[in-house]
Amino acid sequence: MSNPFRKHQIMAGLLALVVLAVAIFNRPDTRDGELHFDVKGDKAYVYGTTDSASAGAVDALIRENPQVDTLVLKYMPGTVDADQNLRLARSVRKNRLKTHLERNSRIASGAVDLFLAGTERTMDCGAQIGVHSWSIVGLETYQPRNDIYDARQRQQEGFLRDMGIDPAFYVFTRDAASPQELHILSPEEINQYNLLSEPLDC
């Protein structure tokens, strides 16, 4: 069955990103939400929101800083372009970068895909990972879990498989919170879906 919302997929999750995640995760050092990197030695600290111009950002980072082998995601509320965000995540894996969350890291929504793309994924106790369902701008009551066909499910599950993550994690995130809400993963949930290279013990 065709989905009338397919053409709006790039706007997935925008409502919750703007209304909720930015309010929770945005910090003064995020340059008004713009995606940017702060390189320190072999680590690049990552801040901000991804958008339609973000897909080549990691490739450019590595061209200019070939010593970087780890992305430390700090304050990242998500994405306003889900398709470009997945391309960015795949470039994280292509460049064989590790990902890490420090104890004060806060990531949500599309930023979780960037974290999961790491060849090695680690986090400190205290870091927060927020997930929710995607939605469509202007159709705030629409929730894909209530539809016969979820326009993003096959693509997201394929991405998770390629990253070595249990594809069931997608349905969990979709059902864990509505687009207007945010569910912070517990250590048990993080371990259940093998999101880290080594189990979290907090």
Side-chain angles (χ1 to χ4, degrees):
M1 178 177 294
S2 62
N3 189 303
F5 305 131
R6 179 180 290 275
K7 65 181 179 179
H8 298 290
Q9 285 182 38
I10 63 171
M11 304 305 289
L14 178 59
L15 177 68
L17 168 66
V18 173
V19 174
L20 182 64
V22 167
I24 295 173
F25 294 125
N26 208 17
R27 295 295 181 89
D29 54 358
T30 59
R31 298 183 190 172
D32 296 324
E34 176 186 351
L35 177 69
H36 69 281
F37 305 93
D38 182 8
V39 176
K40 296 180 180 179
D42 61 0
K43 294 181 175 60
Y45 294 79
V46 195
Y47 304 82
T49 300
T50 67
D51 58 22
S52 60
S54 299
V58 168
D59 289 336
L61 168 72
I62 299 305
R63 282 197 304 270
E64 297 170 9
N65 304 275
Q67 79 283 2
V68 169
D69 64 10
T70 303
L71 299 181
V72 181
L73 282 59
K74 292 295 291 185
Y75 308 114
M76 301 190 70
T79 186
V80 294
D81 190 326
D83 292 327
Q84 293 300 326
N85 188 72
L86 278 185
R87 292 187 178 94
L88 182 64
R90 289 190 179 278
S91 70
V92 171
R93 178 57 62 93
K94 180 187 71 174
N95 285 285
R96 300 197 57 78
L97 296 171
K98 296 177 284 187
T99 53
H100 180 67
L101 301 178
E102 296 185 332
R103 62 177 181 80
N104 59 351
S105 291
R106 305 288 183 265
I107 68 169
S109 194
V112 179
D113 291 336
L114 305 185
F115 176 71
L116 296 180
T119 55
E120 294 181 19
R121 301 176 299 274
T122 55
M123 67 180 288
D124 296 334
C125 294
Q128 292 187 3
I129 300 174
V131 298
H132 62 80
S133 176
W134 63 274
S135 189
I136 299 171
V137 174
L139 294 172
E140 288 80 0
T141 60
Y142 173 71
Q143 293 193 45
R145 66 184 176 188
N146 297 329
D147 205 346
I148 295 175
Y149 176 76
D150 180 341
R152 296 208 63 84
Q153 185 168 355
R154 179 177 296 181
Q155 183 181 35
Q156 289 293 144
E157 289 180 343
F159 167 77
L160 291 171
R161 286 190 188 94
D162 291 346
M163 298 303 111
I165 304 294
D166 183 351
F169 181 62
Y170 168 71
V171 170
F172 169 79
T173 63
R174 185 194 66 190
D175 296 349
S178 73
Q180 295 83 16
E181 300 172 331
L182 200 62
H183 174 75
I184 303 301
L185 297 180
S186 68
E188 292 76 19
E189 290 166 341
I190 290 168
N191 290 338
Q192 177 183 352
Y193 292 100
N194 299 314
L195 303 189
L196 304 180
S197 298
E198 298 292 337
L200 187 64
D201 183 16
C202 293

